Amino acid sequence: MGPKPSLRLVRQGIEIVVLALTVASFSGCSPHPNTASPAVQQQTAANATPWWKHALIYEIYPRSFQDTNGDGVGDINGIIQRLDYLQGMGVNAIWLTPIYPSPLADFGYDISNYEAIDPLYGSMADFDRLVADAKSHHIRVIMDMVLNHTSDQSPWFIESRSSRNNPKRDWYIWRNGKGPGIPPNNWQSDFGHSAWTYDATTKQWYYHKFYAAQPDLNWHNPEVQKAMFDACRFWLDRGVAGFRLDAIPELFEDPTFQDEKILPGKNAFGDPNEDQSRTENLPEVHEVMRQLRKLVDSYPGDRVLIGETYLSNIQEQLMWYGKNNDELQLPMDMQVGFINKLDVDQFRTRINEAETGLNGNMPLFVFDNHDNERSWDRYGDGKHNAAIARIVATLLLTTRATAMTYYGQEIGMVTTPPKTRAEVQDPVGKIGWPKDKGRDGERTPMQWDTSKNAGFSTAVKTWLPIPPSYKTVNIQVESGQPDSLLNWYKQLIALHKNNPAIHDGQNIMVDASDPNVLSYLRKNPGVGPSVLVAMNFTSKPHTVAYALQTQGIQGSTATALLEDDGMSKTVDLNHVMLPPFAVFIGAVQ
Ligand code: GLC
Ligand code: CA
């Protein structure tokens, strides 16, 4: 599974060595004067607490959300059609994976024009209508921005590859090979095998961290930075609330182009395992982040920068906020959501680090996205998946972090990988089959109801098959079941928004040596009750005795804020009995 070597790095606990290289200077990229329309300015009136601080951000994979023209692929009008649903759920912002014109070698992560909409998803007028309609639903729109690479069909790359002295040659990374048929160095693509592809026209190799159809831009070239910042301005001017920055630690490469170090073992593609310190997390990226932050800050309304940052420890995480908190507001924290097993100690440590180790910055927790097997399967034990999904939801929505969720997570959608190689759509699955079946399994169409194609599309054939689970796992059915996962999410989202302790209280681990039950106290920042959250991570019942006096809690009981299976409304703090995989969320004072 998972295409992310960076994620694999996290799993293997390998420290990324940051090379001390000089920071390139970037001229010609000063922030644009504020050109936002009056409507946008109005939308974003100054606010003491920026909106994203306690937001619920919902990732939409547009191909799979809602199809309105019957071609089997989701579209912008489909998202518009589902805004009522999103508003009802309490979503504050949607992040759309790329909808720019693209040959779709990597389903939109190969962009050929940064300032247009792919007709497959609709028109620019549709997009503008989405931003406006979303606004009237109190929902902001966040675009995916792929700065690291373009499509090989981008006019920039077509020019670049045309001759060695083309003005755009240096927009990409071209090198001589070490000899006939031998690439410049041992660097590997995240999608398997060499990261270099030979181009016969000019007899040089170009570098691509991802698929060969995704050539990396040369960020040492100021013209590249200017072109990409112009693209960002284009969307900021149209009223987007910010960007999710794709593969952002991969922006720079070590200019010495020396080989990567080889670590023991093989990677998922059967290639040698490289430490990637020459192609990820180079220090130059931080200067670009500071410039980009200046750009978004020159617009009103707290525009936000979110980073796709798979990092291995909290110190690295902290760096992405910037030494002076002048880089990303929300680098994704993948260290909590991708622990990938219900290990109390690890969750306690990682949540606590996010609470205390980020210099007061806001963590952004993510458990699901379009690149990884769904949390239902990563955390589920095959028997108690439904109860475990409630724990995952609780972890996401009762800590202090900003929450990011992925369509379908709220109903417990299951990873449904292709059955044969012929069915595979994702390039990763094509290269990695059968060991790595790629990412189609977590990108299947949204399950809305029990009708044909789960209400996603009227097409005869949808771009990915509808998972068989749709008859019972869908929005319609779960809306009508008081104890469904969907209703659990809705209740948690309401607490996340409205309960002062859960909204913004300090997060303090309690009963902190318990190996079976994860417990924390969310302290009311003002007067009023605090909230105790307790989750039994095991398949056996456990009883906990809480001593909360040192935390200023004098009462001896807790009152449940949500209906919990098999638990009474009021519990004695000296004797809290938690059935297998139970969650208790209760007010204490
Ligand atoms: C990011 C995206 C992934 C894409 C890759 C290359 O990891 O999330 O889907 O394939 O970047 O753009
Ligand atoms: Ca790069």
Side-chain angles (χ1 to χ4, degrees):
M1 72 126 252
K4 300 295 308 182
S6 335
L7 182 54
R8 288 201 286 276
L9 280 186
V10 172
R11 287 207 189 104
Q12 293 161 12
I14 295 161
E15 298 288 318
I16 293 169
V17 181
V18 177
L19 296 175
L21 294 170
T22 47
V23 173
S25 74
F26 292 99
S27 50
C29 57
S30 54
H32 195 260
N34 165 24
T35 54
S37 67
V40 170
Q41 295 188 15
Q42 205 186 349
Q43 168 185 341
T44 52
N47 205 332
T49 306
W51 66 271
W52 46 261
K53 265 212 161 160
H54 301 284
L56 172 63
I57 304 172
Y58 188 99
E59 179 191 353
I60 291 180
Y61 199 70
R63 296 182 69 78
S64 291
F65 200 57
Q66 179 68 60
D67 173 24
T68 57
N69 68 349
D71 64 357
V73 176
D75 43 49
I76 293 172
N77 284 329
I79 301 172
I80 295 175
Q81 198 176 298
R82 295 297 184 177
L83 286 170
D84 288 345
Y85 165 72
L86 294 167
Q87 182 179 14
M89 209 186 132
V91 169
N92 304 107
I94 49 179
W95 147 34
L96 310 181
T97 63
I99 50 175
Y100 313 96
S102 163
L104 302 176
D106 189 19
F107 293 107
Y109 283 98
D110 48 324
I111 300 172
S112 52
N113 179 354
Y114 281 78
E115 300 181 9
I117 296 288
D118 196 302
L120 185 62
Y121 303 114
S123 64
M124 193 59 84
D126 294 335
F127 179 80
D128 290 341
R129 199 156 56 86
L130 170 64
V131 173
D133 282 12
K135 187 189 156 202
S136 64
H137 286 78
H138 310 289
I139 293 172
R140 291 172 161 86
V141 177
I142 294 170
M143 290 296 260
D144 212 311
M145 187 46 76
V146 185
L147 300 177
N148 181 64
H149 50 269
T150 69
S151 161
D152 63 350
Q153 301 306 308
S154 156
W156 302 339
F157 188 70
I158 292 173
E159 272 197 53
S160 182
R161 82 189 317 177
S162 67
S163 84
R164 286 199 190 192
N165 46 31
N166 183 280
K168 294 232 164 34
R169 183 64 168 182
D170 191 43
W171 279 42
Y172 294 85
I173 301 167
W174 292 98
R175 284 285 172 287
N176 291 325
K178 279 186 172 161
I182 308 172
N185 61 31
N186 73 352
W187 296 358
Q188 287 167 7
S189 159
D190 273 17
F191 288 178
H193 315 318
S194 176
W196 297 93
T197 290
Y198 185 67
D199 191 71
T201 316
T202 56
K203 301 191 170 49
Q204 281 193 316
W205 301 69
Y206 68 87
Y207 171 71
H208 50 89
K209 180 74 177 171
F210 297 93
Y211 207 40
Q214 296 165 298
D216 271 50
L217 286 160
N218 174 15
W219 275 83
H220 288 287
N221 183 339
E223 288 174 26
V224 165
Q225 174 155 354
K226 177 161 185 325
M228 298 310 285
F229 276 44
D230 283 349
C232 293
R233 276 188 201 101
F234 178 89
W235 296 101
L236 290 165
D237 289 344
R238 293 201 103 82
V240 306
F243 301 105
R244 174 267 188 186
L245 303 172
D246 182 69
I248 198 68
E250 281 87 352
L251 217 55
F252 284 89
E253 295 73 37
D254 176 356
T256 69
F257 288 90
Q258 290 173 45
D259 280 353
E260 292 276 25
K261 276 193 222 82
I262 306 285
L263 304 168
K266 298 263 184 214
N267 70 19
F269 302 96
D271 299 322
N273 204 3
E274 295 186 341
D275 87 337
Q276 317 218 41
S277 58
R278 298 191 187 280
T279 56
E280 283 183 5
N281 280 305
L282 280 108
E284 291 93 320
V285 71
H286 294 288
E287 179 56 22
V288 178
M289 293 304 97
R290 282 188 284 275
Q291 297 299 335
L292 194 55
R293 176 65 178 272
K294 278 191 195 147
L295 172 65
V296 294
D297 281 354
S298 73
Y299 285 79
D302 297 315
R303 315 285 173 111
V304 68
L305 293 174
I306 299 172
E308 190 204 12
T309 39
Y310 288 90
L311 303 166
S312 36
N313 59 55
I314 196 76
Q315 288 77 22
E316 283 187 2
Q317 194 74 35
L318 180 59
M319 283 173 65
W320 282 87
Y321 292 93
K323 286 210 176 68
N324 300 308
N325 295 336
D326 52 0
E327 298 185 28
L328 310 189
Q329 294 100 328
L330 294 175
M332 291 181 193
D333 181 327
M334 313 288 203
Q335 293 163 48
V336 172
F338 293 89
I339 290 173
N340 291 344
K341 62 174 184 200
L342 285 184
D343 177 319
V344 172
D345 266 354
Q346 282 199 53
F347 272 97
R348 188 178 287 134
T349 306
R350 298 278 171 91
I351 293 171
N352 206 34
E353 282 174 352
E355 175 74 8
T356 57
L358 293 179
N359 203 11
N361 283 295
M362 200 65 182
L364 172 62
F365 288 173
V366 185
F367 281 78
D368 279 272
N369 61 30
H370 64 285
D371 291 325
N372 291 280
E373 230 190 321
R374 285 188 177 270
S375 58
W376 179 271
D377 304 284
R378 279 183 289 117
Y379 287 96
D381 63 356
K383 220 171 139 190
H384 306 93
N385 289 37
I388 293 171
R390 291 159 83 94
I391 291 183
V392 166
T394 307
L395 289 163
L396 178 67
L397 290 157
T398 66
T399 51
R400 204 178 55 93
T402 297
M404 177 171 269
T405 185
Y406 180 53
Y407 80 94
Q409 184 182 342
E410 71 272 37
I411 47 175
M413 271 174 67
V414 176
T415 317
T416 314
K419 291 196 190 68
T420 63
R421 179 163 188 309
E423 279 175 37
V424 179
Q425 301 277 346
D426 178 22
V428 172
K430 289 180 179 161
I431 300 170
W433 189 272
K435 214 170 156 196
D436 189 334
K437 295 191 167 71
R439 301 165 291 182
D440 294 349
E442 54 266 21
R443 298 174 177 179
T444 56
M446 179 64 163
Q447 297 167 198
W448 293 105
D449 56 41
T450 53
S451 72
K452 184 187 163 193
N453 292 332
F456 162 69
S457 169
T458 55
V460 175
K461 195 167 184 263
T462 54
W463 85 280
L464 284 175
I466 308 289
S469 61
Y470 86 94
K471 288 277 181 198
T472 51
V473 178
N474 66 58
I475 302 290
Q476 181 193 40
V477 165
E478 291 195 28
S479 297
Q481 292 168 342
D483 63 348
S484 66
L485 184 59
L486 179 61
N487 278 318
W488 181 251
Y489 266 92
K490 284 190 180 159
Q491 292 176 72
L492 287 173
I493 293 164
L495 282 182
H496 181 81
K497 265 192 213 332
N498 305 323
N499 181 292
I502 292 188
H503 188 72
D504 201 25
Q506 224 188 320
N507 196 332
I508 301 163
M509 293 295 162
V510 293
D511 189 37
S513 58
D514 192 316
N516 303 303
V517 178
L518 179 68
S519 307
Y520 45 81
L521 188 69
R522 300 297 316 281
K523 263 204 163 161
N524 194 320
V527 277
S530 293
V531 175
L532 174 69
V533 181
M535 288 161 275
N536 181 355
F537 275 20
T538 76
S539 58
K540 299 207 170 63
H542 287 285
T543 301
V544 185
Y546 291 98
L548 302 178
Q549 292 78 4
T550 52
Q551 299 301 339
I553 306 299
Q554 304 309 331
S556 60
T557 58
T559 313
L561 295 169
L562 290 186
E563 286 292 317
D564 299 285
D565 264 2
M567 298 206 52
S568 49
K569 179 90 181 144
T570 304
V571 300
D572 175 356
L573 285 173
N574 291 314
H575 191 85
V576 180
M577 208 286 287
L578 292 144
F581 298 110
V583 174
F584 178 75
I585 303 172
V588 290
Q589 48 188 335

